[in-house]
Amino acid sequence: MSRAPHAAPAAGNDPVGREAIVRFALLCSGAATPADLEAVQRWRMERPEHERAWQRLENLRQTLSALPRGVAAPTLRAASARRRAVLKSVAALAGTGVLTYGSYRAAPWREWMADHRTPTGGFDEIVLADGTRIALDTASAIDVRYTPTRRLVHLLAGQILVATAPDSARPARPFTVLTEDGAARPLGTRFTARKLAAGTHVAVYAGQVEVQPLRGARSLLVPAGRAATFSTTEPGTLQAADESALAWREGSVAALDWRLEDLLAELARYRPGYLGCDPAVADIRVSGTYPVRDTDKALAVLAQSFPIRVRTMSRYWVRVEPR
């Protein structure tokens, strides 16, 4: 019997595959800490078979993400009972209480079933019913809910650029971008919202945006030319909005005196697999514009410009080291 392409590893007799599933499920549970993320990266780097097992899971996720909405959503919902059973098995393997059905309901399933989404390295632009334009960066997902009284966009993952349009309904319905950290309410504006590990970053390029933490009493008004990162409890502080941060709309990332490690972390958002940086070269200062739709080319340019080499073990495992 032939095996379906992109099938998940059969973990029963494969300790590496079983460990990959446990680690993958922890990251997807929403309960992973920064230490968990670092541990996963170290594990993937230890042996090539670790990375191969991880990529089999990533390939399955990418396959589901690429399904048309009309196919993907009913298929995933119809399989919910089987998924719950699988998740219970994973929780038992992990030996922790964090992998529950409640955490299953969080990412990545919610992202795969989103109204609009982009894969790693992908881009999209949509126009909503009221004329509002939203551009989706790599690995981004949103749900859109327009009702007679509200216009809601829920940012589930990634980054979006929003150019709001006046509402033709009367009375006009407020427009709100929601994240797990709270709400961003624009007032005739153009702005970005990006999900970070530490909260939601909002940068305003026209108009103004009020950010309201989910459990915070204070809000913050962010005017044009300013930005803020808010968490579930704090609205953050105003800082300058970097216009060059919009370079992804043109397929590039613009670095001005960045640490090499920070630039590689940004490029890693646009390619599947692992892209790491040796601490010995992490603090090299980098400036320039680098393509995100061809990250191999970006790495080649860096290798020609700085005393570094790009070590490649597979398409999905790349590390930048001293030359």
Side-chain angles (χ1 to χ4, degrees):
M1 179 181 296
S2 61
R3 184 179 180 183
H6 305 305
N13 298 317
D14 177 9
V16 173
R18 183 168 60 248
E19 187 169 3
I21 290 173
V22 171
R23 292 176 182 273
F24 194 86
L26 175 60
L27 295 194
C28 293
S29 72
T33 66
D36 293 325
L37 297 176
E38 292 177 6
V40 167
Q41 293 291 7
R42 287 196 301 271
W43 180 82
R44 291 172 62 181
M45 292 169 56
E46 284 174 0
R47 294 160 57 188
E49 52 265 42
H50 289 183
E51 182 62 19
R52 285 195 293 268
W54 189 269
Q55 288 307 321
R56 286 196 291 270
L57 292 171
E58 281 285 0
N59 287 340
L60 175 62
R61 183 180 71 85
Q62 293 288 345
T63 298
L64 290 174
S65 177
L67 287 173
R69 286 180 52 208
V71 173
T75 300
L76 290 171
R77 285 194 290 266
S80 60
R82 180 167 57 86
R83 289 200 304 272
R84 289 195 293 271
V86 169
L87 194 56
K88 288 178 181 177
S89 299
V90 171
L93 284 172
T96 70
V98 299
L99 300 180
T100 63
Y101 179 56
S103 60
Y104 143 78
R105 296 280 295 179
W109 304 109
R110 185 177 56 172
E111 297 168 22
W112 294 345
M113 297 168 62
D115 293 335
H116 304 278
R117 61 186 182 274
T118 54
T120 298
F123 301 85
D124 195 12
E125 185 164 348
I126 62 173
V127 180
L128 302 183
D130 62 347
T132 292
R133 293 182 174 272
I134 299 182
L136 287 84
D137 196 5
T138 175
S140 300
I142 61 172
D143 279 334
V144 178
R145 297 291 179 268
Y146 275 29
T147 73
T149 58
R150 296 187 298 175
R151 296 178 292 165
L152 300 178
V153 172
H154 193 171
L155 176 61
L156 305 172
Q159 176 174 221
I160 55 175
L161 171 65
V162 182
T164 56
D167 190 20
S168 60
R170 291 294 178 270
R173 300 164 295 176
F175 185 95
T176 305
V177 172
L178 299 175
T179 75
E180 61 185 15
D181 299 302
R185 303 184 181 93
L187 304 173
T189 189
R190 180 171 177 262
F191 71 104
T192 58
R194 176 175 173 179
K195 275 298 300 155
L196 304 173
T200 300
H201 183 76
V202 170
V204 182
Y205 301 100
Q208 54 187 359
V209 174
E210 180 187 23
V211 298
Q212 176 64 61
L214 181 65
R215 293 190 294 273
R218 295 186 302 114
S219 63
L220 178 69
L221 192 64
V222 185
R226 307 293 278 175
T229 300
F230 67 97
S231 67
T232 56
T233 57
E234 295 295 331
T237 57
L238 292 178
Q239 55 192 267
D242 184 4
E243 190 80 29
S244 67
L246 293 177
W248 60 271
R249 294 286 291 114
E250 306 301 325
S252 62
V253 56
L256 179 59
D257 196 33
W258 286 19
R259 296 173 63 248
L260 176 60
E261 185 175 38
D262 295 335
L263 174 59
L264 294 175
E266 189 68 11
L267 291 175
R269 297 177 55 234
Y270 295 90
R271 59 181 295 140
Y274 168 75
L275 173 58
C277 181
D278 190 302
V281 297
D283 291 327
I284 291 177
R285 310 308 294 192
V286 180
S287 296
T289 301
Y290 300 89
V292 296
R293 299 180 188 178
D294 186 352
T295 53
D296 286 335
K297 180 178 180 180
L299 293 174
V301 170
L302 288 169
Q304 292 171 2
S305 306
F306 299 96
I308 61 174
R309 72 182 183 109
V310 179
R311 182 159 69 96
T312 303
M313 296 184 64
S314 77
R315 176 188 174 194
Y316 301 106
W317 196 101
V318 177
R319 184 173 172 82
V320 175
E321 301 174 340
R323 186 177 299 162

